Amino acid sequence: MSPYRPLAAAAGLAAAAALSACAPAADGAAGGTLTVGLDTDVTSLDPIDNLVAHQSTLIVGNAVYEPLFTDGPEGALEPRLAESIETGDLRTWTLKLKPDLVFSDGSPLDAEAVIGHFERMAGPESTCLCQPAAAQIDSAEAVDDTTVRLTLAAPDAAFDRGLTRSLGMIATEPEEGKAPLGAGAFTVASTDPGSSVTLEPNPEYHGPAPILDRLVFRFLPDTDSRYQSLSSGTVDMVWLNTAHLVAQARTEGLTTAIADSTTATAFLNTTRPPFDDVRVRQAVQAAINREVILEAADQGAGRLSDGPITSGSPYTARTDHPDFDPDRARRLLAEYGEPVAFDYTTDARPQSAQRAAVIQQMLADVGIDMTIDTVDAATMDTRLFGRDFDAIEFFTSAYGETDTAMKSIFPEGAPGNFSGYADPEVTSLIGEAGETVDPEERAGLYGEAAQIIVDEAPVLFYTESPSGFAASYTVGGIPDLSEHNVISILPSELWIRR
């Protein structure tokens, strides 16, 4: 299997997607209202604000905008609003749209609209995580109504991956106080900030009309309460990212769209003591028994994470992760020669609390004093982006896209390099990989970089954990995502059983 699929032969993929989109729902499918419980408050539906591009909220972005591509099994890209994207050198990309696309007000979603969207995402006012990817577009030409030719400042193997999230959610320039328009299967009917978003079918949708009459997303931040809302029938479908509830959903026979798509990690702040010294980072890494974390925090669900290239990545390069070795940890600490104490910032989810408690005990066994600092989600973000932490848990789906993760997290100065890690060789290897057309060569370069990252331990890798959606038996159209690296559902394919 090739680790890189630039969709040069995307006609077959487009045909498969069209067949899937046109497939009839099962007998007994009906309209009605589908209510989905999410963990994140979608206070803005504008792709420029990122809130519809998290793994748990992609379902909202997919409903309103339907991206150019969505994530398929084993890292493949599946065409949605686009038919294909082709490149020969990773610098010049030709994007082909489906014909006759329109926004929900009937205005054309053509090549010029795509270029306008890219320009807005790249602008100085943009807060989109896709801004660096959009800003690297040197020139964009509308070859015809459905064809865009893009030239990047430099070759970039990760460019097409961004088209599955905010960069690919083509939107209009929003009016004051309103969400932008999209071309997805649904439009915004109403919003209740801090509570819910209600969507209705888009009469201008390019595909088969959705069966649902209404789609409601409710903000339910507490994981256990969210699951209880499903059990009680208050909602029809919920986001789950804790192992015990994933196991419970499966035991209870609920319909699930689950994959080991979330990696549990922690950033170590390498810009200040004690983690500016590699020996301390390596000592912490050696003192942690990840098998125990897998059992205690994840109840044995998922698998160990051995580094930034996940087990589901289409790249074959893997890393050798150091074994659990408390004696090595003690030797490194003795060599360091100073007492080691630090704060470990995490959130209040039961899984996070259990993981932190287990790690605290393991580190105490080798003489490290770790204080658990439990904060809310907003404070987690403030600490993370301000690099105001010693160590901070980072539970993310970002590693599901190897090209994007390697480029955005580990090079010096990268937007997601929250640890402040600076290794010239890693930066060089990842930069070279991103400009390498041959997928096998790129895999080798990523593998070299990944091994250095694991050896120097600016990030602790714990487990690849199950995440996704669980739904009542009344919900149909739930896809099997077990072979996917990212949980991405198209609400246009969902329905309610009579």
Side-chain angles (χ1 to χ4, degrees):
M1 178 180 60
S2 170
Y4 177 63
R5 307 179 192 184
L7 299 186
L13 288 175
L19 289 172
S20 174
C22 295
D27 291 341
T33 298
L34 177 68
T35 303
V36 182
L38 300 178
D39 65 334
T40 300
D41 187 5
V42 185
T43 55
S44 170
L45 292 167
D46 192 337
I48 206 169
D49 294 322
N50 301 304
L51 292 179
V52 293
H54 299 307
Q55 185 167 222
S56 63
T57 58
L58 271 176
I59 188 172
V60 184
N62 288 352
V64 177
Y65 302 106
E66 191 163 311
L68 295 169
F69 301 91
T70 54
D71 294 275
E74 299 180 332
L77 291 179
E78 295 186 343
R80 297 302 175 190
L81 294 186
E83 287 186 346
S84 64
I85 186 167
E86 300 176 2
T87 183
D89 59 3
L90 303 181
R91 185 166 185 261
T92 301
W93 299 76
T94 301
L95 174 68
K96 189 73 175 177
L97 300 173
K98 290 182 177 178
D100 304 320
L101 294 174
V102 296
F103 292 105
S104 57
D105 65 350
S107 60
L109 194 166
D110 55 14
E112 292 291 353
V114 171
I115 292 172
H117 172 79
F118 287 170
E119 289 175 345
R120 189 166 80 92
M121 296 298 107
E125 74 288 349
S126 175
T127 58
C128 184
L129 292 177
C130 67
Q131 196 276 341
Q136 70 176 331
I137 299 173
D138 259 0
S139 66
E141 174 192 0
V143 178
D144 54 42
D145 285 348
T146 61
T147 308
V148 182
R149 182 177 295 122
L150 303 165
T151 302
L152 309 185
D156 180 12
F159 179 74
D160 55 345
R161 304 302 317 183
L163 302 181
T164 66
R165 301 210 184 190
S166 293
L167 190 60
M169 295 178 182
I170 309 304
T172 62
E173 184 82 34
E175 297 180 14
E176 184 68 30
K178 295 184 178 180
L181 303 179
F186 294 86
T187 61
V188 181
S190 64
T191 60
D192 184 1
S195 179
S196 66
V197 173
T198 300
L199 308 180
E200 294 178 347
N202 172 14
E204 301 289 346
Y205 181 54
H206 66 93
I211 297 174
L212 296 172
D213 298 321
R214 182 169 293 180
L215 184 58
V216 178
F217 296 101
R218 292 183 57 195
F219 172 47
L220 304 171
D222 183 77
T223 303
D224 291 321
S225 297
R226 189 164 62 249
Y227 189 86
Q228 290 305 313
S229 296
L230 176 62
S231 299
S232 67
T234 306
V235 300
D236 307 297
M237 182 172 166
V238 295
W239 171 257
L240 299 178
N241 60 354
T242 56
H244 76 283
L245 290 179
V246 168
Q248 184 173 339
R250 287 169 167 163
T251 299
E252 293 177 353
L254 297 176
T255 305
T256 60
I258 300 287
D260 293 335
S261 59
T262 307
T263 307
T265 70
F267 282 108
L268 304 182
N269 190 341
T270 66
T271 68
R272 68 189 193 195
F275 295 127
D276 58 346
D277 193 300
V278 68
R279 294 170 297 183
V280 179
R281 302 196 302 267
Q282 291 171 338
V284 169
Q285 181 189 60
I288 294 174
N289 188 332
R290 296 175 303 135
E291 293 280 4
V292 172
I293 290 177
L294 184 66
E295 292 301 322
D298 295 351
Q299 298 188 356
R303 65 193 80 194
L304 298 183
S305 171
D306 288 333
I309 302 176
T310 65
S311 60
S313 172
Y315 291 99
T316 56
R318 295 291 180 267
T319 52
D320 293 323
H321 192 285
D323 293 334
F324 168 57
D325 189 346
D327 289 337
R328 176 173 180 253
R330 294 185 185 97
R331 289 195 299 272
L332 287 164
L333 292 171
E335 184 179 333
Y336 179 62
E338 299 287 341
V340 174
F342 69 93
D343 290 342
Y344 186 92
T345 304
T346 187
D347 59 33
R349 290 181 304 114
Q351 192 171 359
S352 297
Q354 183 64 51
R355 183 163 40 240
V358 169
I359 292 171
Q360 184 184 50
Q361 182 58 56
M362 291 172 181
L363 296 186
D365 289 344
V366 300
I368 296 175
D369 181 12
M370 180 184 116
T371 300
I372 299 172
D373 181 21
T374 304
V375 300
D376 59 28
T379 304
M380 283 282 286
D381 284 348
T382 300
R383 299 269 185 89
L384 183 69
F385 284 91
R387 199 176 290 147
D388 181 20
F389 60 86
D390 294 328
I392 189 168
E393 186 167 279
F394 191 60
F395 195 63
T396 181
S397 64
Y399 294 104
E401 301 169 355
T402 300
D403 290 299
T404 303
M406 295 296 282
K407 177 183 177 181
S408 63
I409 296 176
F410 298 105
E412 184 174 2
N417 188 346
F418 300 114
S419 68
Y421 177 58
D423 184 287
E425 186 175 3
V426 166
T427 300
S428 176
L429 285 166
I430 293 174
E432 185 180 351
E435 298 183 1
T436 299
V437 176
D438 182 81
E440 297 299 332
E441 290 182 22
R442 190 181 322 122
L445 292 165
Y446 281 149
E448 289 182 53
Q451 190 62 62
I452 296 170
I453 291 164
V454 170
D455 290 343
E456 296 191 346
V459 177
L460 302 176
F461 293 92
Y462 302 138
T463 59
E464 295 176 16
S465 304
S467 296
F469 287 95
S472 155
Y473 75 94
T474 60
V475 181
I478 302 293
D480 177 8
L481 299 182
S482 57
E483 299 301 320
H484 289 232
N485 298 329
V486 176
I487 303 298
S488 185
I489 290 178
L490 288 173
S492 59
E493 298 177 354
L494 303 178
W495 41 274
I496 302 289
R497 301 178 196 274
R498 288 192 180 95

